[in-house]
Every structure is written in structure tokens, then in C-alpha cells.
Amino acid sequence: MFKNRKQIEQQAMQRYLQFEKEHRAEATNEKMMTRSSLINHHDNLAMERIINKSDLFPIAHLQAGLNVSKAVCRIAIRSRSGQLESYGTGFLVAPNLLLTNNHVLDTKEAAMYAVAEFNYEDDVQFMPLEIISFRLDPESLFITDEALDFTLVAVEESNLHAISLAGFGYLPLLPKPGKILEGEYVTIIQHPNGGPKAITIRENEVKFISSDFVQYVSDTEPGSSGSPVFNDQWVVVALHHAGVPDPEDNTRWIANQGIRISSIIHHLGQKRSGLEDVRSRRLLDQLLDVAMPGSAAEPMEVGTLEADWYAGVAGYDPAFLGAGFRVELPALSEALLEDAAQTSDGNAVLDYTHFSIAMSKSRRLAFYTAVNIDGNQLVDVKRGSDRWYFDPRIDEAHQIGPEFYQSNDIDRGHLVRRRDPNWGIDAVKANEHTFHFTNCSPQHKNFNQKAWLDLEDYLLDNARDSNLKVSVFTGPVFRDDDVSYRNAQIPDQFWKVAVMIKDGTSLSATAYLQTQEDLIGGNLEFVYGQFETYQVPVARIEELTGLDFGGLREADPLAGGQAARVLSREDIRL
């Protein structure tokens, strides 16, 4: 099965020599922010390890390593007659999907006779554990690529002894690049020479990172092919596949090479449309997470954030756009103030990371949300689990909870969009803060997943591409005749006001209105209607909501004008 190993090693050596010649810039701020977005905010030593090359780890790092190691197995390669030919390493990446190298399992037939052996390791007394074997199931799914040297194959869900594969867990694969930086260190869990499970702990510095490959100094042996390569947060960053031979002495090794996980995921995404078998697509979907996140059909997990998640957050910043361009939160009318949910210290505004929310007690929804978006510091943060939170700072009775969204076509529509506040060093915290029930409003799935045209993407893309700062206000329109459902009312309309600096000299405030009234019927079934977004005067939003946006009325290009239907980005007037 390892017929092309020498060729792979020679290619790896050529990359190493080429990288060595090229200029390597230091990690940019953007790369550092992307890298920091994957760090648990409780790991106070992580940034020291990355920036100052500290060797300090929390003791829980060792337990976390043991936990992820369960998903790593030895692959025994056998012939049709059952004769053992060689060994490799693999690891589970979904409930019953295994990732290894193409040069370990290059064909369906090879996978048919191979066996995944878990628990092939010694305990603390150096006594061997009982090996638990599972057969592979290439008929259900088998995807391989020689250029990227990977194979993804299905595994039987239980073995001949009725032992479930689920007990070994799996290692989630994050699609975004930026999980490791040059100069950091990696850890590899492997079966060197087909022997018991082993680990490389230090002296594994990342030397080069290219579009598809990572090269690092590390100890590996034949049989380590197909091993997971981890960063210090035990996130898989690469699939190990080859050593880099010394060009002057081919009996020595100067580095090792892995295929970047982001490249493998991208390739699998392209392969999905070509899968004709329904079961194969379903299995791959487990890995790619192609289902629309946050839909009502998904199970909802309700969690609790510790108090330190709220400590020190400044929320929306009125001075965010710069000196001379202060934009205050919208003022609540006297009637709205009486209905505002307040914290124990009498505050009617809830502050989160880079955004703030004011809540209605009677409707149990936000009057408005306000977020600052910094296009120069945006970080792509993986969505993660679909866990939502009650905000403990106000009465839970003033928040619509999970029971409202079960078994229907109603989504928990983010008001502050998940990606918008994810910038700077607190990007991960901001991402998690958007999953509060205070920040969602009932929206029909077809509205939540398709409406606003590409307005939100337009605002975010412009902020990123032009390094702009944008402040965005969003909320529902409350009407007495809104549809009643499960002891709450579903708003028919939603609004958005975007504020930015135009030509570097003046404020521009544009307002938008969108309706879902054609989608919401008495039985909440989908009604085929037009998705229409209108750009309207800011004053119109004030009339509909009772909010006061102050000076933004004068910064509105439609001030005193008529609403305009928005069909594309070109229709937006700034």
C-alpha cells in the first residue's frame, strides 16, 4: 500500500528546500487574531505560549490529550487472504468516519480488508490494554485523493462483539485556516512502526506553512502515516503523511510534513455534489456540517455562562466611529421605558462583547440591538455547538426560551448577526455572547435563512474590504395584531439601521425594513410570497418603533424621501 511513499518524501523535500529559500514574514496581526480566536478564554497561558514561547501548560492539558487520543487507532492493512501487509494510523473525524492517508488506504478493496484497531496502547503500569477492532465500510463512503494524500472512509458502527464505535468519540475538523502559526509547536499522536500508541510532546516546531501543507520538526516513524497533528488546544491542524529526507543524506530526516485540514475539508466540500448515494452524502454531511445552522429542526442545547463571561464587557461604544462622529444608543419613549426589562442595578441596557441590547418585558424580545463592527480586525470564528443561553442579569420570564422554538418552522433569528461582533482579541467571547435568547427573535425559517437579500453580507464585506468601522442597529416592529403563538407574539417586520463614515467626512445612516407577514399564517406553514427589502427613511423606523435615533435623521440620504425597494447592492443609497 506504500508504493508511492518515496515519491511523497521527495516532493516534501522539494517543498522544504523551496520554502527555505523564500522570505518568510512574521505573523501579521490578522493571523494572530485568527489564531487567538480558537483559544478558550479560560486558558490564561495560551497567548504566552504563542507569543513568548513559554512551555507552561495548565495541568488539564494532559487530560485533554488523553481524551482526544481515544479517537486515534492503528490501521492493520491485510491482503485478500488475510495476511498482514503493513500498518498505518488513522483517526475518527465524525461518529463513524475515519481519516488516514491515501498511501495507507488507496482503494476501496484495500479498505475492505483493513481493520481499525483502537486501544492499542499501554496503561500507566506499561501493561497492554485490550485491543478493540472495527471493520471499515467503504461501500457506504470512500473518498480518496492522491495529490492531498488523504482517504476518508466509513467505519462500522459496532463490531462483532456488539461494542459501539461511539465510545471512542471523534476529533472535529475546523474548516478555517489559521489554526497554527509558524514558530508554534505541534503534537502528534501516532502508532510508530505499527507499535503501541505514542505521542511527540515537544521539539516539534512548525517551520513552514503553505497553501496545502505544514512542515514541522518532529519524531515520527513508518506507521505514523495518517496521524492527527494537533496545536496546543488539541485542535487537529494537519494530517501527517511524510518525512522530509536530508537532501545530502537520505538516511537522515530533517522535518516532517502534514496536509492542512482546511485543504482537505475544502476538497471534500467540492466532492459532495458528485456523490450519488444518499447514505454517502449523509455521512459526509456529518463532517462538513452543511445543514443550515440554527434551524428549528436541530436539537437545542440550553447552557449557562459563568459570571466572568459578563464581567468587564463594555457593550456598544457610541464613540466607536471616531472623534466628532458619536452615535448614541436609540432613546426609548416613556411608554417603552416602562416596559423595559431592567437588571438588579436598574440598568435597562444589557452589555455584551461589542454589542448591547434593550429588552421588552411584555414581548420578551429586544426593542433593539446595537453592534460595533471593526472591518480591520474581523476574525472568522467557527459557529460551534448550537447552545443558547438565558441572560441571568434579567428575569428569565422576560426572555422567550427554547420551548417556543421546538417542532415548528420558527428559527431563533440572530438580531446581532453572529459574525458581526467577532473582531479583535475577544472574538470568541463575542461569538458566544450572540447566542443569548435576548439576541434572537422568532423568524420563519425561510425569512431567517434567505431574507434581507445580501444586505448583511454587503455591510460586513464592505467593512472588511475597506477596513471600515460600522455601527448597526437591528430590531423587530411590535404591533398589537402580530400573530399569537405559544404565549408570545411573532413580529411581522424587522428593521435595520447602518451607520458609517461617508468619504471620511460625514455620517451616513441608512435604514431598511423587511417583512415576513407573507410567511406567517395561523398554522405557521410556509406561504409562497416575495422576499422584499426596502430602504426607508430613518424617521420611518422611529414611527414604527417609538425609538428616537437623534441626529441620525439628518445623516439619512432618504431624509424626507420615499422608500425604495432594494433588489441588489447597487440599489442601496449611502
Side-chain angles (χ1 to χ4, degrees), residues 363-492:
R363 294 297 294 261
R364 297 188 288 158
L365 298 171
F367 287 124
Y368 67 79
T369 64
V371 60
N372 302 128
I373 306 173
D374 190 336
N376 193 42
Q377 300 189 65
L378 285 169
V379 176
D380 285 325
V381 181
K382 181 177 173 62
R383 182 184 177 101
S385 65
D386 200 31
R387 182 185 298 114
W388 286 76
Y389 308 99
F390 285 105
D391 192 319
R393 296 173 294 177
I394 62 172
D395 195 323
E396 191 173 300
H398 299 152
Q399 306 169 64
I400 293 180
E403 69 287 342
F404 184 88
Y405 299 95
Q406 299 295 339
S407 304
N408 55 34
D409 286 338
I410 299 300
D411 279 2
R412 304 172 296 284
H414 276 77
L415 293 176
V416 170
R417 195 167 64 146
R418 183 186 70 83
R419 298 165 58 201
D420 287 354
N422 296 350
W423 51 269
I425 199 68
D426 293 322
V428 169
K429 190 173 186 179
N431 178 77
E432 203 71 10
H433 273 176
T434 65
F435 286 91
H436 278 83
F437 288 112
T438 53
N439 185 44
C440 71
S441 188
Q443 294 178 347
H444 192 283
K445 65 180 182 181
N446 294 285
F447 176 89
N448 181 38
Q449 298 169 16
K450 300 173 185 176
W452 288 118
L453 298 176
D454 58 351
L455 172 63
E456 291 177 322
D457 284 335
Y458 171 78
L459 294 172
L460 193 65
D461 290 348
N462 269 274
R464 175 186 282 113
D465 296 344
S466 304
N467 294 331
L468 291 175
K469 289 185 174 182
V470 185
S471 292
V472 179
F473 304 94
T474 306
V477 175
F478 294 149
R479 289 198 175 99
D480 292 338
D481 60 354
D482 283 335
V483 171
S484 294
Y485 178 71
R486 292 184 179 177
N487 298 318
Q489 287 180 282
I490 303 175
D492 277 348

Side-chain angles (χ1 to χ4, degrees), residues 307-316 350-356 391 393 426 429-430 433:
D308 63 344
W309 277 81
Y310 304 99
V313 293
Y316 171 84
L350 298 169
D351 288 330
Y352 301 92
T353 305
H354 303 149
F355 68 98
S356 297
D391 192 319
R393 296 173 294 177
D426 293 322
K429 190 173 186 179
H433 273 176

